[in-house]
Short mmCIF file of all heavy atoms in Angstrom, two decimals:
data_model
loop_
_atom_site.label_atom_id
_atom_site.label_comp_id
_atom_site.label_asym_id
_atom_site.label_seq_id
_atom_site.Cartn_x
_atom_site.Cartn_y
_atom_site.Cartn_z
N MET Y 179 -5.35 -6.61 11.29
CA MET Y 179 -5.11 -6.72 9.93
C MET Y 179 -6.32 -7.38 9.27
O MET Y 179 -7.07 -8.05 9.95
CB MET Y 179 -3.83 -7.60 9.62
CG MET Y 179 -3.32 -7.52 8.25
SD MET Y 179 -2.93 -5.82 7.80
CE MET Y 179 -2.44 -6.14 6.12
N ILE Y 180 -6.39 -7.22 7.96
CA ILE Y 180 -7.59 -7.79 7.25
C ILE Y 180 -7.31 -9.21 6.93
O ILE Y 180 -6.16 -9.70 6.88
CB ILE Y 180 -7.88 -6.99 5.98
CG1 ILE Y 180 -6.73 -6.95 4.98
CG2 ILE Y 180 -8.39 -5.59 6.41
CD1 ILE Y 180 -7.12 -6.23 3.68
N GLU Y 181 -8.36 -9.91 6.45
CA GLU Y 181 -8.28 -11.33 6.23
C GLU Y 181 -7.44 -11.46 4.85
O GLU Y 181 -7.30 -10.69 4.04
CB GLU Y 181 -9.63 -11.93 5.93
CG GLU Y 181 -10.54 -11.95 7.25
CD GLU Y 181 -11.80 -12.54 6.96
OE1 GLU Y 181 -12.09 -13.14 5.84
OE2 GLU Y 181 -12.66 -12.38 7.92
N ASP Y 182 -6.92 -12.86 4.70
CA ASP Y 182 -6.26 -13.09 3.50
C ASP Y 182 -7.21 -13.00 2.32
O ASP Y 182 -8.36 -13.25 2.49
CB ASP Y 182 -5.82 -14.51 3.57
CG ASP Y 182 -4.58 -14.88 4.39
OD1 ASP Y 182 -4.10 -13.84 5.01
OD2 ASP Y 182 -4.14 -15.97 4.53
N GLY Y 183 -6.71 -12.39 1.30
CA GLY Y 183 -7.39 -12.23 0.01
C GLY Y 183 -6.76 -11.24 -0.82
O GLY Y 183 -5.70 -10.72 -0.54
N THR Y 184 -7.59 -10.80 -1.88
CA THR Y 184 -7.00 -9.84 -2.86
C THR Y 184 -8.00 -8.62 -2.87
O THR Y 184 -9.22 -8.75 -2.86
CB THR Y 184 -6.94 -10.44 -4.26
OG1 THR Y 184 -6.10 -11.56 -4.18
CG2 THR Y 184 -6.40 -9.45 -5.20
N TYR Y 185 -7.44 -7.41 -2.71
CA TYR Y 185 -8.24 -6.20 -2.50
C TYR Y 185 -7.79 -5.07 -3.46
O TYR Y 185 -6.53 -4.91 -3.66
CB TYR Y 185 -8.10 -5.64 -1.10
CG TYR Y 185 -8.46 -6.61 -0.07
CD1 TYR Y 185 -7.40 -7.52 0.51
CD2 TYR Y 185 -9.68 -6.77 0.49
CE1 TYR Y 185 -7.78 -8.49 1.47
CE2 TYR Y 185 -10.06 -7.70 1.39
CZ TYR Y 185 -9.01 -8.48 2.01
OH TYR Y 185 -9.40 -9.35 2.95
N ASP Y 186 -8.72 -4.52 -4.20
CA ASP Y 186 -8.39 -3.31 -4.90
C ASP Y 186 -8.30 -2.17 -3.95
O ASP Y 186 -9.09 -1.93 -3.09
CB ASP Y 186 -9.61 -3.02 -6.02
CG ASP Y 186 -9.65 -4.04 -7.02
OD1 ASP Y 186 -8.61 -4.57 -7.46
OD2 ASP Y 186 -10.69 -4.33 -7.56
N VAL Y 187 -7.25 -1.35 -4.11
CA VAL Y 187 -6.87 -0.25 -3.17
C VAL Y 187 -6.55 1.02 -3.92
O VAL Y 187 -6.28 0.98 -5.15
CB VAL Y 187 -5.77 -0.64 -2.23
CG1 VAL Y 187 -6.18 -1.86 -1.35
CG2 VAL Y 187 -4.44 -0.94 -2.94
N PHE Y 188 -6.54 2.03 -3.09
CA PHE Y 188 -6.26 3.34 -3.64
C PHE Y 188 -5.30 4.05 -2.52
O PHE Y 188 -5.63 4.06 -1.36
CB PHE Y 188 -7.53 4.19 -3.75
CG PHE Y 188 -7.33 5.59 -4.26
CD1 PHE Y 188 -7.27 5.79 -5.70
CD2 PHE Y 188 -7.26 6.80 -3.47
CE1 PHE Y 188 -7.06 7.02 -6.23
CE2 PHE Y 188 -7.12 7.95 -4.01
CZ PHE Y 188 -7.03 8.16 -5.31
N ILE Y 189 -4.19 4.47 -2.95
CA ILE Y 189 -3.20 5.11 -1.95
C ILE Y 189 -3.68 6.57 -1.63
O ILE Y 189 -3.71 7.46 -2.55
CB ILE Y 189 -1.81 5.11 -2.61
CG1 ILE Y 189 -1.35 3.69 -2.85
CG2 ILE Y 189 -0.76 5.79 -1.57
CD1 ILE Y 189 -0.06 3.51 -3.61
N VAL Y 190 -3.89 6.68 -0.21
CA VAL Y 190 -4.35 8.04 0.15
C VAL Y 190 -3.23 8.75 0.92
O VAL Y 190 -3.36 9.96 1.19
CB VAL Y 190 -5.59 7.89 1.06
CG1 VAL Y 190 -6.76 7.33 0.28
CG2 VAL Y 190 -5.22 7.02 2.22
N ASP Y 191 -2.05 8.08 1.14
CA ASP Y 191 -0.95 8.85 1.87
C ASP Y 191 0.25 7.92 1.70
O ASP Y 191 0.18 6.70 1.70
CB ASP Y 191 -1.26 9.02 3.41
CG ASP Y 191 -0.37 10.12 3.96
OD1 ASP Y 191 0.23 10.87 3.29
OD2 ASP Y 191 -0.26 10.11 5.25
N ALA Y 192 1.43 8.65 1.58
CA ALA Y 192 2.75 7.91 1.53
C ALA Y 192 3.76 8.89 2.12
O ALA Y 192 3.84 10.04 1.67
CB ALA Y 192 3.06 7.65 0.09
N ILE Y 193 4.56 8.31 3.05
CA ILE Y 193 5.53 9.17 3.74
C ILE Y 193 6.88 8.27 3.79
O ILE Y 193 6.89 7.14 4.09
CB ILE Y 193 5.13 9.51 5.21
CG1 ILE Y 193 3.79 10.19 5.19
CG2 ILE Y 193 6.19 10.19 5.90
CD1 ILE Y 193 3.22 10.44 6.46
N ASP Y 194 7.90 9.02 3.47
CA ASP Y 194 9.25 8.32 3.44
C ASP Y 194 9.63 8.01 4.82
O ASP Y 194 9.27 8.76 5.84
CB ASP Y 194 10.33 9.19 2.85
CG ASP Y 194 10.23 9.42 1.37
OD1 ASP Y 194 9.88 8.42 0.69
OD2 ASP Y 194 10.46 10.47 1.00
N ASP Y 195 10.30 6.87 5.07
CA ASP Y 195 10.80 6.41 6.32
C ASP Y 195 11.99 7.29 6.60
O ASP Y 195 12.90 7.56 5.75
CB ASP Y 195 11.20 4.96 6.32
CG ASP Y 195 11.57 4.54 7.76
OD1 ASP Y 195 12.77 4.63 8.03
OD2 ASP Y 195 10.73 3.92 8.41
N ASP Y 196 12.14 7.78 7.90
CA ASP Y 196 13.29 8.61 8.28
C ASP Y 196 14.63 7.87 8.34
O ASP Y 196 15.65 8.45 8.18
CB ASP Y 196 13.08 9.29 9.62
CG ASP Y 196 11.98 10.34 9.62
OD1 ASP Y 196 11.83 10.92 8.58
OD2 ASP Y 196 11.35 10.47 10.62
N ASP Y 197 14.53 6.52 8.52
CA ASP Y 197 15.77 5.73 8.75
C ASP Y 197 16.13 4.78 7.49
O ASP Y 197 17.29 4.60 7.44
CB ASP Y 197 15.73 4.86 10.02
CG ASP Y 197 15.44 5.70 11.26
OD1 ASP Y 197 16.08 6.69 11.40
OD2 ASP Y 197 14.68 5.23 12.06
N ASP Y 198 15.19 4.55 6.69
CA ASP Y 198 15.47 3.60 5.68
C ASP Y 198 14.95 4.20 4.35
O ASP Y 198 13.72 4.21 4.14
CB ASP Y 198 14.91 2.35 5.88
CG ASP Y 198 15.27 1.21 4.94
OD1 ASP Y 198 15.64 1.51 3.81
OD2 ASP Y 198 15.14 -0.02 5.16
N ARG Y 199 15.73 4.62 3.43
CA ARG Y 199 15.31 5.31 2.22
C ARG Y 199 14.58 4.36 1.35
O ARG Y 199 13.78 4.83 0.43
CB ARG Y 199 16.50 5.82 1.45
CG ARG Y 199 17.22 6.96 2.22
CD ARG Y 199 18.30 7.51 1.33
NE ARG Y 199 17.72 7.82 0.01
CZ ARG Y 199 17.91 8.98 -0.79
NH1 ARG Y 199 18.68 9.84 -0.14
NH2 ARG Y 199 17.43 9.17 -1.83
N ASP Y 200 14.60 3.09 1.42
CA ASP Y 200 13.82 2.20 0.63
C ASP Y 200 12.51 1.81 1.12
O ASP Y 200 11.72 1.02 0.46
CB ASP Y 200 14.70 0.81 0.44
CG ASP Y 200 14.24 -0.08 -0.64
OD1 ASP Y 200 13.89 0.49 -1.65
OD2 ASP Y 200 14.18 -1.30 -0.51
N VAL Y 201 12.15 2.35 2.33
CA VAL Y 201 10.82 2.06 2.94
C VAL Y 201 9.94 3.28 2.81
O VAL Y 201 10.39 4.44 3.10
CB VAL Y 201 11.00 1.67 4.39
CG1 VAL Y 201 9.69 1.57 5.09
CG2 VAL Y 201 11.77 0.40 4.57
N VAL Y 202 8.71 3.03 2.47
CA VAL Y 202 7.72 4.09 2.51
C VAL Y 202 6.47 3.74 3.34
O VAL Y 202 6.01 2.49 3.24
CB VAL Y 202 7.17 4.42 1.04
CG1 VAL Y 202 6.05 5.38 1.04
CG2 VAL Y 202 8.26 4.76 0.19
N HIS Y 203 5.98 4.57 4.16
CA HIS Y 203 4.84 4.30 5.02
C HIS Y 203 3.60 4.66 4.21
O HIS Y 203 3.44 5.79 3.77
CB HIS Y 203 4.80 5.01 6.31
CG HIS Y 203 6.04 4.76 7.12
ND1 HIS Y 203 6.15 3.74 8.01
CD2 HIS Y 203 7.27 5.40 7.24
CE1 HIS Y 203 7.36 3.69 8.56
NE2 HIS Y 203 8.01 4.74 8.08
N VAL Y 204 2.75 3.72 3.83
CA VAL Y 204 1.70 3.87 2.97
C VAL Y 204 0.33 3.62 3.56
O VAL Y 204 0.21 2.66 4.37
CB VAL Y 204 1.82 2.80 1.70
CG1 VAL Y 204 0.65 3.06 0.76
CG2 VAL Y 204 3.17 3.02 1.10
N THR Y 205 -0.70 4.46 3.37
CA THR Y 205 -1.94 4.39 3.84
C THR Y 205 -2.91 4.14 2.64
O THR Y 205 -2.78 4.92 1.67
CB THR Y 205 -2.47 5.62 4.58
OG1 THR Y 205 -1.49 5.86 5.64
CG2 THR Y 205 -3.80 5.43 5.26
N LEU Y 206 -3.61 3.05 2.63
CA LEU Y 206 -4.55 2.68 1.52
C LEU Y 206 -5.95 2.66 2.01
O LEU Y 206 -6.16 2.31 3.18
CB LEU Y 206 -4.21 1.29 1.14
CG LEU Y 206 -2.70 0.78 1.02
CD1 LEU Y 206 -2.55 -0.70 0.88
CD2 LEU Y 206 -2.15 1.37 -0.24
N THR Y 207 -6.94 2.83 1.07
CA THR Y 207 -8.28 2.52 1.32
C THR Y 207 -8.77 1.39 0.39
O THR Y 207 -8.37 1.37 -0.77
CB THR Y 207 -9.12 3.73 1.19
OG1 THR Y 207 -10.46 3.45 1.71
CG2 THR Y 207 -9.20 4.28 -0.20
N ILE Y 208 -9.57 0.47 0.94
CA ILE Y 208 -10.05 -0.59 0.17
C ILE Y 208 -11.28 -0.17 -0.58
O ILE Y 208 -12.18 0.55 -0.11
CB ILE Y 208 -10.36 -1.75 1.10
CG1 ILE Y 208 -9.09 -2.27 1.71
CG2 ILE Y 208 -10.98 -2.93 0.26
CD1 ILE Y 208 -9.21 -3.34 2.75
N LEU Y 209 -11.41 -0.51 -1.88
CA LEU Y 209 -12.33 -0.01 -2.81
C LEU Y 209 -13.63 -0.81 -2.99
O LEU Y 209 -14.54 -0.37 -3.56
CB LEU Y 209 -11.71 0.25 -4.19
CG LEU Y 209 -10.51 1.40 -4.23
CD1 LEU Y 209 -9.93 1.42 -5.61
CD2 LEU Y 209 -11.06 2.72 -3.67
N ASP Y 210 -13.56 -2.00 -2.68
CA ASP Y 210 -14.72 -2.91 -2.91
C ASP Y 210 -14.72 -4.05 -1.88
O ASP Y 210 -13.95 -4.28 -1.07
CB ASP Y 210 -14.72 -3.41 -4.32
CG ASP Y 210 -13.45 -4.21 -4.61
OD1 ASP Y 210 -12.63 -4.59 -3.72
OD2 ASP Y 210 -13.25 -4.46 -5.84
N GLY Y 211 -15.85 -4.81 -1.98
CA GLY Y 211 -15.96 -6.08 -1.08
C GLY Y 211 -16.54 -5.70 0.24
O GLY Y 211 -16.86 -4.44 0.65
N ALA Y 212 -16.40 -6.64 1.11
CA ALA Y 212 -16.86 -6.51 2.50
C ALA Y 212 -15.98 -5.48 3.32
O ALA Y 212 -16.53 -4.91 4.21
CB ALA Y 212 -16.78 -7.86 3.20
N ASN Y 213 -14.92 -5.27 2.92
CA ASN Y 213 -13.95 -4.22 3.55
C ASN Y 213 -13.96 -2.86 2.89
O ASN Y 213 -13.02 -2.10 3.25
CB ASN Y 213 -12.49 -4.81 3.68
CG ASN Y 213 -12.40 -6.06 4.53
OD1 ASN Y 213 -12.56 -7.15 3.96
ND2 ASN Y 213 -12.15 -5.93 5.79
N LYS Y 214 -14.84 -2.67 1.99
CA LYS Y 214 -14.90 -1.42 1.34
C LYS Y 214 -14.82 -0.22 2.22
O LYS Y 214 -15.60 -0.22 3.35
CB LYS Y 214 -16.14 -1.25 0.50
CG LYS Y 214 -16.14 0.02 -0.31
CD LYS Y 214 -17.41 0.07 -1.25
CE LYS Y 214 -17.53 1.28 -1.98
NZ LYS Y 214 -18.65 1.31 -3.02
N GLY Y 215 -13.94 0.79 2.10
CA GLY Y 215 -13.81 1.89 2.93
C GLY Y 215 -12.82 1.70 4.08
O GLY Y 215 -12.46 2.67 4.64
N ASP Y 216 -12.48 0.54 4.39
CA ASP Y 216 -11.44 0.32 5.42
C ASP Y 216 -10.16 1.00 5.10
O ASP Y 216 -9.75 0.93 3.85
CB ASP Y 216 -11.19 -1.24 5.68
CG ASP Y 216 -12.40 -1.87 6.42
OD1 ASP Y 216 -13.33 -1.20 6.80
OD2 ASP Y 216 -12.30 -3.01 6.57
N VAL Y 217 -9.42 1.39 6.03
CA VAL Y 217 -8.10 1.97 5.82
C VAL Y 217 -7.02 1.09 6.35
O VAL Y 217 -7.20 0.48 7.47
CB VAL Y 217 -8.03 3.39 6.47
CG1 VAL Y 217 -6.63 3.97 6.36
CG2 VAL Y 217 -9.12 4.32 5.91
N VAL Y 218 -6.03 0.90 5.63
CA VAL Y 218 -4.93 -0.06 5.97
C VAL Y 218 -3.66 0.67 5.88
O VAL Y 218 -3.32 1.35 4.95
CB VAL Y 218 -4.87 -1.25 4.95
CG1 VAL Y 218 -3.73 -2.16 5.37
CG2 VAL Y 218 -6.11 -2.03 5.03
N ALA Y 219 -2.81 0.63 6.92
CA ALA Y 219 -1.57 1.23 6.91
C ALA Y 219 -0.39 0.18 6.88
O ALA Y 219 -0.56 -0.76 7.61
CB ALA Y 219 -1.30 2.11 8.13
N LEU Y 220 0.55 0.38 5.94
CA LEU Y 220 1.59 -0.69 5.99
C LEU Y 220 2.84 -0.02 5.57
O LEU Y 220 2.99 1.15 5.14
CB LEU Y 220 1.33 -1.80 5.07
CG LEU Y 220 0.90 -1.43 3.58
CD1 LEU Y 220 2.21 -1.47 2.70
CD2 LEU Y 220 0.04 -2.56 3.02
N HIS Y 221 3.95 -0.71 5.79
CA HIS Y 221 5.32 -0.27 5.40
C HIS Y 221 5.66 -1.01 4.10
O HIS Y 221 5.68 -2.30 4.09
CB HIS Y 221 6.37 -0.55 6.44
CG HIS Y 221 6.13 -0.06 7.72
ND1 HIS Y 221 6.39 1.20 8.19
CD2 HIS Y 221 5.33 -0.58 8.86
CE1 HIS Y 221 5.87 1.31 9.44
NE2 HIS Y 221 5.29 0.26 9.85
N ALA Y 222 6.03 -0.29 2.98
CA ALA Y 222 6.24 -0.96 1.81
C ALA Y 222 7.77 -0.74 1.45
O ALA Y 222 8.32 0.26 1.72
CB ALA Y 222 5.50 -0.30 0.66
N ARG Y 223 8.33 -1.76 0.86
CA ARG Y 223 9.81 -1.66 0.55
C ARG Y 223 9.93 -1.99 -0.90
O ARG Y 223 9.15 -2.88 -1.51
CB ARG Y 223 10.59 -2.74 1.28
CG ARG Y 223 12.09 -2.81 1.06
CD ARG Y 223 12.74 -3.80 1.88
NE ARG Y 223 12.77 -3.60 3.29
CZ ARG Y 223 13.52 -2.68 3.86
NH1 ARG Y 223 14.36 -1.93 3.12
NH2 ARG Y 223 13.38 -2.41 5.05
N GLY Y 224 10.81 -1.26 -1.62
CA GLY Y 224 11.12 -1.52 -3.06
C GLY Y 224 10.10 -1.21 -4.02
O GLY Y 224 9.97 -1.83 -5.00
N LEU Y 225 9.37 0.00 -3.80
CA LEU Y 225 8.35 0.38 -4.69
C LEU Y 225 8.89 1.10 -5.93
O LEU Y 225 8.28 1.35 -6.96
CB LEU Y 225 7.34 1.32 -3.97
CG LEU Y 225 6.38 0.60 -2.97
CD1 LEU Y 225 5.49 1.60 -2.35
CD2 LEU Y 225 5.68 -0.52 -3.57
N ALA Y 226 10.21 1.52 -5.77
CA ALA Y 226 10.89 2.21 -6.93
C ALA Y 226 10.28 3.42 -7.39
O ALA Y 226 10.24 3.76 -8.59
CB ALA Y 226 11.07 1.16 -8.17
N ARG Y 227 9.59 4.13 -6.44
CA ARG Y 227 9.04 5.42 -6.78
C ARG Y 227 9.21 6.30 -5.47
O ARG Y 227 9.33 5.89 -4.41
CB ARG Y 227 7.57 5.29 -7.00
CG ARG Y 227 7.22 4.49 -8.21
CD ARG Y 227 5.89 4.74 -8.72
NE ARG Y 227 5.57 3.91 -9.80
CZ ARG Y 227 4.52 3.90 -10.46
NH1 ARG Y 227 3.64 4.88 -10.16
NH2 ARG Y 227 4.20 3.11 -11.46
N GLU Y 228 9.23 7.54 -5.76
CA GLU Y 228 9.31 8.52 -4.66
C GLU Y 228 7.92 8.61 -4.06
O GLU Y 228 6.93 8.25 -4.68
CB GLU Y 228 9.47 9.97 -5.17
CG GLU Y 228 10.92 10.06 -5.94
CD GLU Y 228 12.04 9.93 -4.90
OE1 GLU Y 228 11.96 10.35 -3.70
OE2 GLU Y 228 13.07 9.53 -5.42
N SER Y 229 7.86 8.83 -2.69
CA SER Y 229 6.59 8.88 -1.92
C SER Y 229 5.54 9.73 -2.68
O SER Y 229 4.44 9.44 -2.71
CB SER Y 229 6.84 9.13 -0.47
OG SER Y 229 7.31 10.48 -0.39
N PHE Y 230 5.95 10.95 -2.99
CA PHE Y 230 5.02 11.91 -3.60
C PHE Y 230 4.40 11.31 -4.83
O PHE Y 230 3.30 11.72 -5.27
CB PHE Y 230 5.70 13.26 -3.86
CG PHE Y 230 6.73 13.27 -4.88
CD1 PHE Y 230 6.30 13.54 -6.23
CD2 PHE Y 230 8.03 13.23 -4.57
CE1 PHE Y 230 7.33 13.52 -7.16
CE2 PHE Y 230 8.92 13.25 -5.51
CZ PHE Y 230 8.62 13.42 -6.88
N GLU Y 231 4.98 10.47 -5.62
CA GLU Y 231 4.53 9.80 -6.82
C GLU Y 231 3.42 8.75 -6.54
O GLU Y 231 2.70 8.37 -7.47
CB GLU Y 231 5.60 9.23 -7.62
CG GLU Y 231 6.67 10.18 -8.02
CD GLU Y 231 7.79 9.44 -8.81
OE1 GLU Y 231 8.41 8.53 -8.22
OE2 GLU Y 231 8.10 9.89 -9.94
N LEU Y 232 3.30 8.26 -5.28
CA LEU Y 232 2.36 7.26 -4.89
C LEU Y 232 0.92 7.78 -4.65
O LEU Y 232 -0.07 7.08 -4.79
CB LEU Y 232 2.83 6.49 -3.72
CG LEU Y 232 4.24 5.82 -3.93
CD1 LEU Y 232 4.71 5.28 -2.52
CD2 LEU Y 232 4.10 4.77 -4.92
N PHE Y 233 0.79 9.11 -4.33
CA PHE Y 233 -0.48 9.59 -4.05
C PHE Y 233 -1.51 9.33 -5.14
O PHE Y 233 -1.25 9.74 -6.24
CB PHE Y 233 -0.44 11.17 -3.69
CG PHE Y 233 0.24 11.40 -2.36
CD1 PHE Y 233 1.54 11.76 -2.29
CD2 PHE Y 233 -0.49 11.39 -1.24
CE1 PHE Y 233 2.14 12.03 -1.14
CE2 PHE Y 233 0.09 11.72 -0.01
CZ PHE Y 233 1.35 12.00 0.05
N GLY Y 234 -2.63 8.83 -4.81
CA GLY Y 234 -3.69 8.67 -5.70
C GLY Y 234 -3.53 7.43 -6.73
O GLY Y 234 -4.40 7.24 -7.56
N LEU Y 235 -2.47 6.72 -6.56
CA LEU Y 235 -2.42 5.56 -7.34
C LEU Y 235 -3.24 4.38 -6.97
O LEU Y 235 -3.31 4.12 -5.80
CB LEU Y 235 -0.89 5.01 -7.42
CG LEU Y 235 0.09 5.85 -8.12
CD1 LEU Y 235 1.52 5.29 -8.01
CD2 LEU Y 235 -0.27 6.13 -9.60
N PRO Y 236 -3.77 3.67 -8.02
CA PRO Y 236 -4.55 2.45 -7.61
C PRO Y 236 -3.52 1.21 -7.50
O PRO Y 236 -2.45 1.30 -7.97
CB PRO Y 236 -5.49 2.31 -8.82
CG PRO Y 236 -4.63 2.85 -9.95
CD PRO Y 236 -3.89 3.99 -9.39
N GLY Y 237 -3.97 0.21 -6.82
CA GLY Y 237 -3.17 -0.94 -6.70
C GLY Y 237 -3.95 -2.12 -6.25
O GLY Y 237 -5.22 -1.95 -6.08
N THR Y 238 -3.22 -3.14 -5.96
CA THR Y 238 -3.88 -4.35 -5.45
C THR Y 238 -3.16 -4.85 -4.23
O THR Y 238 -1.91 -4.85 -4.22
CB THR Y 238 -3.79 -5.61 -6.48
OG1 THR Y 238 -4.43 -5.15 -7.72
CG2 THR Y 238 -4.43 -6.80 -6.00
N LEU Y 239 -3.89 -5.05 -3.14
CA LEU Y 239 -3.24 -5.52 -1.92
C LEU Y 239 -3.54 -7.04 -1.80
O LEU Y 239 -4.73 -7.35 -1.91
CB LEU Y 239 -3.89 -4.77 -0.79
CG LEU Y 239 -3.36 -5.25 0.64
CD1 LEU Y 239 -1.80 -4.86 0.82
CD2 LEU Y 239 -4.13 -4.53 1.76
N VAL Y 240 -2.49 -7.76 -1.79
CA VAL Y 240 -2.65 -9.30 -1.73
C VAL Y 240 -2.21 -9.64 -0.27
O VAL Y 240 -1.13 -9.41 0.04
CB VAL Y 240 -1.93 -10.01 -2.80
CG1 VAL Y 240 -2.09 -11.57 -2.59
CG2 VAL Y 240 -2.31 -9.61 -4.21
N VAL Y 241 -3.08 -10.24 0.46
CA VAL Y 241 -2.68 -10.72 1.82
C VAL Y 241 -2.76 -12.26 1.88
O VAL Y 241 -3.81 -12.87 1.58
CB VAL Y 241 -3.74 -10.14 2.90
CG1 VAL Y 241 -3.28 -10.67 4.31
CG2 VAL Y 241 -3.77 -8.66 2.91
N ARG Y 242 -1.63 -12.88 2.15
CA ARG Y 242 -1.46 -14.28 2.27
C ARG Y 242 -0.85 -14.69 3.62
O ARG Y 242 0.28 -14.11 3.90
CB ARG Y 242 -0.63 -14.91 1.07
CG ARG Y 242 -1.27 -14.83 -0.25
CD ARG Y 242 -0.65 -15.76 -1.28
NE ARG Y 242 -1.33 -15.57 -2.53
CZ ARG Y 242 -0.93 -14.79 -3.51
NH1 ARG Y 242 0.14 -14.13 -3.41
NH2 ARG Y 242 -1.58 -14.77 -4.67
N ASP Y 243 -1.41 -15.59 4.25
CA ASP Y 243 -0.99 -15.91 5.68
C ASP Y 243 -0.70 -14.85 6.54
O ASP Y 243 0.22 -14.72 7.33
CB ASP Y 243 0.36 -16.83 5.49
CG ASP Y 243 0.16 -18.10 4.76
OD1 ASP Y 243 -1.07 -18.68 4.88
OD2 ASP Y 243 0.89 -18.53 3.97
N GLY Y 244 -1.58 -13.76 6.32
CA GLY Y 244 -1.50 -12.50 7.12
C GLY Y 244 -0.45 -11.53 6.75
O GLY Y 244 -0.19 -10.52 7.36
N VAL Y 245 0.36 -11.84 5.63
CA VAL Y 245 1.44 -10.98 5.13
C VAL Y 245 0.91 -10.18 3.97
O VAL Y 245 0.51 -10.83 2.89
CB VAL Y 245 2.61 -11.84 4.78
CG1 VAL Y 245 3.72 -10.94 4.26
CG2 VAL Y 245 3.17 -12.59 5.97
N PRO Y 246 0.83 -8.84 4.04
CA PRO Y 246 0.43 -7.98 3.00
C PRO Y 246 1.48 -7.80 1.91
O PRO Y 246 2.69 -7.65 2.21
CB PRO Y 246 -0.02 -6.64 3.59
CG PRO Y 246 0.96 -6.58 4.81
CD PRO Y 246 1.19 -8.00 5.26
N ASN Y 247 1.05 -7.71 0.67
CA ASN Y 247 1.91 -7.41 -0.44
C ASN Y 247 1.21 -6.39 -1.36
O ASN Y 247 0.16 -6.66 -1.89
CB ASN Y 247 2.29 -8.60 -1.18
CG ASN Y 247 3.30 -8.31 -2.39
OD1 ASN Y 247 4.19 -7.56 -2.15
ND2 ASN Y 247 3.03 -8.88 -3.62
N LEU Y 248 1.77 -5.17 -1.58
CA LEU Y 248 1.15 -4.16 -2.33
C LEU Y 248 1.68 -4.24 -3.71
O LEU Y 248 2.95 -4.14 -3.87
CB LEU Y 248 1.43 -2.75 -1.74
CG LEU Y 248 0.88 -1.56 -2.52
CD1 LEU Y 248 -0.60 -1.64 -2.74
CD2 LEU Y 248 1.35 -0.31 -1.90
N GLU Y 249 0.89 -4.37 -4.81
CA GLU Y 249 1.36 -4.36 -6.15
C GLU Y 249 0.65 -3.12 -6.81
O GLU Y 249 -0.68 -2.89 -6.75
CB GLU Y 249 0.69 -5.63 -6.84
CG GLU Y 249 1.17 -6.89 -6.25
CD GLU Y 249 0.53 -8.12 -6.67
OE1 GLU Y 249 -0.37 -7.98 -7.53
OE2 GLU Y 249 0.96 -9.27 -6.29
N LEU Y 250 1.47 -2.19 -7.34
CA LEU Y 250 0.88 -0.99 -7.93
C LEU Y 250 0.44 -1.24 -9.35
O LEU Y 250 1.08 -2.00 -10.14
CB LEU Y 250 2.05 0.03 -8.02
CG LEU Y 250 2.62 0.49 -6.57
CD1 LEU Y 250 3.73 1.49 -6.85
CD2 LEU Y 250 1.39 1.20 -5.84
N ASP Y 251 -0.61 -0.64 -9.72
CA ASP Y 251 -1.15 -0.71 -11.03
C ASP Y 251 -0.32 0.33 -11.92
O ASP Y 251 -0.02 1.39 -11.40
CB ASP Y 251 -2.62 -0.35 -11.19
CG ASP Y 251 -3.52 -1.35 -10.50
OD1 ASP Y 251 -2.97 -2.41 -10.10
OD2 ASP Y 251 -4.73 -1.04 -10.38
N GLU Y 252 0.14 -0.17 -12.98
CA GLU Y 252 1.04 0.73 -13.86
C GLU Y 252 0.27 1.54 -14.76
O GLU Y 252 -0.74 1.43 -15.32
CB GLU Y 252 2.00 -0.12 -14.59
CG GLU Y 252 2.98 -0.85 -13.74
CD GLU Y 252 3.84 0.07 -12.81
OE1 GLU Y 252 4.26 1.15 -13.31
OE2 GLU Y 252 4.04 -0.27 -11.67
#
């Protein structure tokens, strides 16, 4: 996992979880800083969007104490 911090990201893939309809498997790429170009995969819960709506969206990945939190830009 990447270090704690705030990262501008772009969603490159999103797939619904087969077992939990509220979970989406999201793949992000980091857009700037020392981790620019790194790819991060995570499980997101409660995004209130269909997985196909997530493709290409920008967002912010906030990592605190090793725990990632994806915030979508509206």
Side-chain angles (χ1 to χ4, degrees):
M179 194 60 181
I180 61 176
E181 295 180 13
D182 283 5
T184 301
Y185 304 89
D186 291 326
V187 297
F188 184 82
I189 298 175
V190 296
D191 196 18
I193 300 170
D194 292 320
D195 187 274
D196 290 333
D197 298 322
D198 188 340
R199 292 186 50 135
D200 195 39
V201 173
V202 179
H203 302 275
V204 181
T205 305
L206 316 164
T207 187
I208 298 176
L209 299 177
D210 55 14
N213 295 90
K214 182 178 181 178
D216 286 357
V217 175
V218 177
L220 56 90
H221 306 271
R223 178 178 298 281
L225 294 178
R227 298 202 185 183
E228 299 290 332
S229 59
F230 67 87
E231 296 175 310
L232 299 172
F233 287 96
L235 288 181
T238 302
L239 179 64
V240 178
V241 181
R242 285 195 184 100
D243 297 324
V245 178
N247 182 43
L248 175 62
E249 300 169 359
L250 298 177
D251 293 351
E252 297 300 321

